[in-house]
PDB file of all heavy atoms in Angstrom:
ATOM      1  N   GLU Z   7      82.432-161.453 -54.244  1.00  0.00           N
ATOM      2  CA  GLU Z   7      82.531-160.257 -53.404  1.00  0.00           C
ATOM      3  C   GLU Z   7      81.537-159.175 -53.823  1.00  0.00           C
ATOM      4  O   GLU Z   7      80.992-158.458 -52.986  1.00  0.00           O
ATOM      5  CB  GLU Z   7      83.969-159.717 -53.452  1.00  0.00           C
ATOM      6  CG  GLU Z   7      84.276-158.657 -52.428  1.00  0.00           C
ATOM      7  CD  GLU Z   7      84.359-159.159 -50.990  1.00  0.00           C
ATOM      8  OE1 GLU Z   7      84.513-160.366 -50.754  1.00  0.00           O
ATOM      9  OE2 GLU Z   7      84.265-158.307 -50.068  1.00  0.00           O
ATOM     10  N   ALA Z   8      81.281-159.056 -55.119  1.00  0.00           N
ATOM     11  CA  ALA Z   8      80.329-158.045 -55.602  1.00  0.00           C
ATOM     12  C   ALA Z   8      78.925-158.346 -55.090  1.00  0.00           C
ATOM     13  O   ALA Z   8      78.205-157.436 -54.648  1.00  0.00           O
ATOM     14  CB  ALA Z   8      80.347-157.986 -57.122  1.00  0.00           C
ATOM     15  N   ALA Z  13      74.587-157.294 -51.174  1.00  0.00           N
ATOM     16  CA  ALA Z  13      73.737-157.784 -50.088  1.00  0.00           C
ATOM     17  C   ALA Z  13      73.888-156.909 -48.851  1.00  0.00           C
ATOM     18  O   ALA Z  13      72.900-156.592 -48.172  1.00  0.00           O
ATOM     19  CB  ALA Z  13      74.070-159.244 -49.775  1.00  0.00           C
ATOM     20  N   ILE Z  17      70.964-154.772 -46.991  1.00  0.00           N
ATOM     21  CA  ILE Z  17      70.705-154.861 -45.543  1.00  0.00           C
ATOM     22  C   ILE Z  17      70.624-153.464 -44.948  1.00  0.00           C
ATOM     23  O   ILE Z  17      69.724-153.165 -44.152  1.00  0.00           O
ATOM     24  CB  ILE Z  17      71.783-155.720 -44.845  1.00  0.00           C
ATOM     25  CG1 ILE Z  17      71.569-157.194 -45.176  1.00  0.00           C
ATOM     26  CG2 ILE Z  17      71.750-155.506 -43.328  1.00  0.00           C
ATOM     27  CD1 ILE Z  17      72.662-158.118 -44.684  1.00  0.00           C
ATOM     28  N   GLU Z  19      69.689-150.814 -46.401  1.00  0.00           N
ATOM     29  CA  GLU Z  19      68.425-150.210 -46.826  1.00  0.00           C
ATOM     30  C   GLU Z  19      67.235-150.761 -46.043  1.00  0.00           C
ATOM     31  O   GLU Z  19      66.277-150.039 -45.753  1.00  0.00           O
ATOM     32  CB  GLU Z  19      68.201-150.466 -48.324  1.00  0.00           C
ATOM     33  CG  GLU Z  19      69.201-149.780 -49.220  1.00  0.00           C
ATOM     34  CD  GLU Z  19      69.173-150.288 -50.663  1.00  0.00           C
ATOM     35  OE1 GLU Z  19      68.391-151.214 -50.966  1.00  0.00           O
ATOM     36  OE2 GLU Z  19      69.946-149.752 -51.478  1.00  0.00           O
ATOM     37  N   GLU Z  47      76.537-166.721 -44.070  1.00  0.00           N
ATOM     38  CA  GLU Z  47      77.144-167.897 -44.699  1.00  0.00           C
ATOM     39  C   GLU Z  47      78.400-167.495 -45.491  1.00  0.00           C
ATOM     40  O   GLU Z  47      79.439-168.157 -45.406  1.00  0.00           O
ATOM     41  CB  GLU Z  47      76.120-168.548 -45.625  1.00  0.00           C
ATOM     42  CG  GLU Z  47      76.585-169.818 -46.275  1.00  0.00           C
ATOM     43  CD  GLU Z  47      75.511-170.393 -47.185  1.00  0.00           C
ATOM     44  OE1 GLU Z  47      74.417-170.731 -46.695  1.00  0.00           O
ATOM     45  OE2 GLU Z  47      75.777-170.475 -48.401  1.00  0.00           O
ATOM     46  N   ALA Z  57      89.933-168.208 -33.171  1.00  0.00           N
ATOM     47  CA  ALA Z  57      90.185-167.958 -31.755  1.00  0.00           C
ATOM     48  C   ALA Z  57      91.478-167.153 -31.617  1.00  0.00           C
ATOM     49  O   ALA Z  57      92.425-167.355 -32.386  1.00  0.00           O
ATOM     50  CB  ALA Z  57      90.302-169.274 -31.002  1.00  0.00           C
ATOM     51  N   GLU Z  62      98.255-162.737 -28.579  1.00  0.00           N
ATOM     52  CA  GLU Z  62      97.307-161.649 -28.863  1.00  0.00           C
ATOM     53  C   GLU Z  62      96.473-161.319 -27.626  1.00  0.00           C
ATOM     54  O   GLU Z  62      96.226-160.152 -27.327  1.00  0.00           O
ATOM     55  CB  GLU Z  62      96.368-162.041 -30.009  1.00  0.00           C
ATOM     56  CG  GLU Z  62      97.032-162.155 -31.352  1.00  0.00           C
ATOM     57  CD  GLU Z  62      96.158-162.824 -32.400  1.00  0.00           C
ATOM     58  OE1 GLU Z  62      95.275-163.647 -32.041  1.00  0.00           O
ATOM     59  OE2 GLU Z  62      96.363-162.530 -33.578  1.00  0.00           O
ATOM     60  N   MET Z  68      97.224-156.713 -21.491  1.00  0.00           N
ATOM     61  CA  MET Z  68      98.211-155.732 -21.025  1.00  0.00           C
ATOM     62  C   MET Z  68      97.718-154.322 -21.328  1.00  0.00           C
ATOM     63  O   MET Z  68      97.803-153.437 -20.473  1.00  0.00           O
ATOM     64  CB  MET Z  68      99.573-155.973 -21.698  1.00  0.00           C
ATOM     65  CG  MET Z  68     100.318-157.185 -21.202  1.00  0.00           C
ATOM     66  SD  MET Z  68     101.820-157.522 -22.163  1.00  0.00           S
ATOM     67  CE  MET Z  68     102.775-156.029 -21.895  1.00  0.00           C
ATOM     68  N   TYR Z  69      97.197-154.135 -22.529  1.00  0.00           N
ATOM     69  CA  TYR Z  69      96.665-152.827 -22.922  1.00  0.00           C
ATOM     70  C   TYR Z  69      95.509-152.431 -22.010  1.00  0.00           C
ATOM     71  O   TYR Z  69      95.456-151.321 -21.507  1.00  0.00           O
ATOM     72  CB  TYR Z  69      96.224-152.868 -24.388  1.00  0.00           C
ATOM     73  CG  TYR Z  69      95.496-151.620 -24.822  1.00  0.00           C
ATOM     74  CD1 TYR Z  69      96.203-150.457 -25.123  1.00  0.00           C
ATOM     75  CD2 TYR Z  69      94.114-151.595 -24.910  1.00  0.00           C
ATOM     76  CE1 TYR Z  69      95.541-149.304 -25.499  1.00  0.00           C
ATOM     77  CE2 TYR Z  69      93.439-150.439 -25.293  1.00  0.00           C
ATOM     78  CZ  TYR Z  69      94.155-149.300 -25.584  1.00  0.00           C
ATOM     79  OH  TYR Z  69      93.495-148.155 -25.946  1.00  0.00           O
ATOM     80  N   LEU Z  73      99.435-152.386 -18.438  1.00  0.00           N
ATOM     81  CA  LEU Z  73     100.673-153.023 -17.993  1.00  0.00           C
ATOM     82  C   LEU Z  73     101.777-152.897 -19.029  1.00  0.00           C
ATOM     83  O   LEU Z  73     101.534-153.055 -20.230  1.00  0.00           O
ATOM     84  CB  LEU Z  73     100.443-154.517 -17.742  1.00  0.00           C
ATOM     85  CG  LEU Z  73      99.508-154.915 -16.614  1.00  0.00           C
ATOM     86  CD1 LEU Z  73      99.269-156.420 -16.640  1.00  0.00           C
ATOM     87  CD2 LEU Z  73     100.080-154.489 -15.277  1.00  0.00           C
ATOM     88  N   ILE Z  93     105.227-163.345 -25.275  1.00  0.00           N
ATOM     89  CA  ILE Z  93     104.490-162.299 -25.989  1.00  0.00           C
ATOM     90  C   ILE Z  93     104.733-162.351 -27.497  1.00  0.00           C
ATOM     91  O   ILE Z  93     103.838-162.056 -28.283  1.00  0.00           O
ATOM     92  CB  ILE Z  93     104.842-160.907 -25.420  1.00  0.00           C
ATOM     93  CG1 ILE Z  93     104.237-160.764 -24.023  1.00  0.00           C
ATOM     94  CG2 ILE Z  93     104.328-159.796 -26.319  1.00  0.00           C
ATOM     95  CD1 ILE Z  93     104.599-159.480 -23.328  1.00  0.00           C
ATOM     96  N   THR Z  94     105.916-162.759 -27.917  1.00  0.00           N
ATOM     97  CA  THR Z  94     106.213-162.838 -29.353  1.00  0.00           C
ATOM     98  C   THR Z  94     105.832-164.190 -29.943  1.00  0.00           C
ATOM     99  O   THR Z  94     105.910-164.376 -31.157  1.00  0.00           O
ATOM    100  CB  THR Z  94     107.709-162.579 -29.619  1.00  0.00           C
ATOM    101  OG1 THR Z  94     108.479-163.578 -28.928  1.00  0.00           O
ATOM    102  CG2 THR Z  94     108.124-161.191 -29.194  1.00  0.00           C
ATOM    103  N   GLY Z  97     108.011-168.714 -27.491  1.00  0.00           N
ATOM    104  CA  GLY Z  97     108.078-169.686 -26.402  1.00  0.00           C
ATOM    105  C   GLY Z  97     106.716-169.834 -25.763  1.00  0.00           C
ATOM    106  O   GLY Z  97     105.852-168.963 -25.910  1.00  0.00           O
ATOM    107  N   GLY Z 104     101.418-170.699 -16.906  1.00  0.00           N
ATOM    108  CA  GLY Z 104     100.121-170.662 -17.568  1.00  0.00           C
ATOM    109  C   GLY Z 104      98.992-170.440 -16.572  1.00  0.00           C
ATOM    110  O   GLY Z 104      98.066-169.666 -16.826  1.00  0.00           O
ATOM    111  N   GLU Z 106      99.261-168.917 -13.701  1.00  0.00           N
ATOM    112  CA  GLU Z 106      99.385-167.536 -13.227  1.00  0.00           C
ATOM    113  C   GLU Z 106      98.844-166.553 -14.264  1.00  0.00           C
ATOM    114  O   GLU Z 106      98.158-165.589 -13.915  1.00  0.00           O
ATOM    115  CB  GLU Z 106     100.851-167.210 -12.896  1.00  0.00           C
ATOM    116  CG  GLU Z 106     101.379-167.926 -11.666  1.00  0.00           C
ATOM    117  CD  GLU Z 106     100.627-167.539 -10.412  1.00  0.00           C
ATOM    118  OE1 GLU Z 106     100.611-166.349 -10.053  1.00  0.00           O
ATOM    119  OE2 GLU Z 106     100.026-168.446  -9.784  1.00  0.00           O
ATOM    120  N   PRO Z 115      91.495-170.398 -19.431  1.00  0.00           N
ATOM    121  CA  PRO Z 115      92.528-171.438 -19.480  1.00  0.00           C
ATOM    122  C   PRO Z 115      92.632-172.129 -20.842  1.00  0.00           C
ATOM    123  O   PRO Z 115      93.707-172.535 -21.245  1.00  0.00           O
ATOM    124  CB  PRO Z 115      92.092-172.443 -18.406  1.00  0.00           C
ATOM    125  CG  PRO Z 115      91.236-171.656 -17.468  1.00  0.00           C
ATOM    126  CD  PRO Z 115      90.587-170.606 -18.297  1.00  0.00           C
ATOM    127  N   GLY Z 120      95.888-173.355 -25.432  1.00  0.00           N
ATOM    128  CA  GLY Z 120      95.843-173.456 -26.881  1.00  0.00           C
ATOM    129  C   GLY Z 120      94.856-174.494 -27.395  1.00  0.00           C
ATOM    130  O   GLY Z 120      95.058-175.087 -28.433  1.00  0.00           O
TER     131      GLY Z 120
END
Side-chain angles (χ1 to χ4, degrees):
E7 191 71 18
I17 287 173
E19 294 167 358
E47 183 180 298
E62 292 168 333
M68 287 173 61
Y69 172 78
L73 295 173
I93 289 176
T94 60
E106 290 298 300

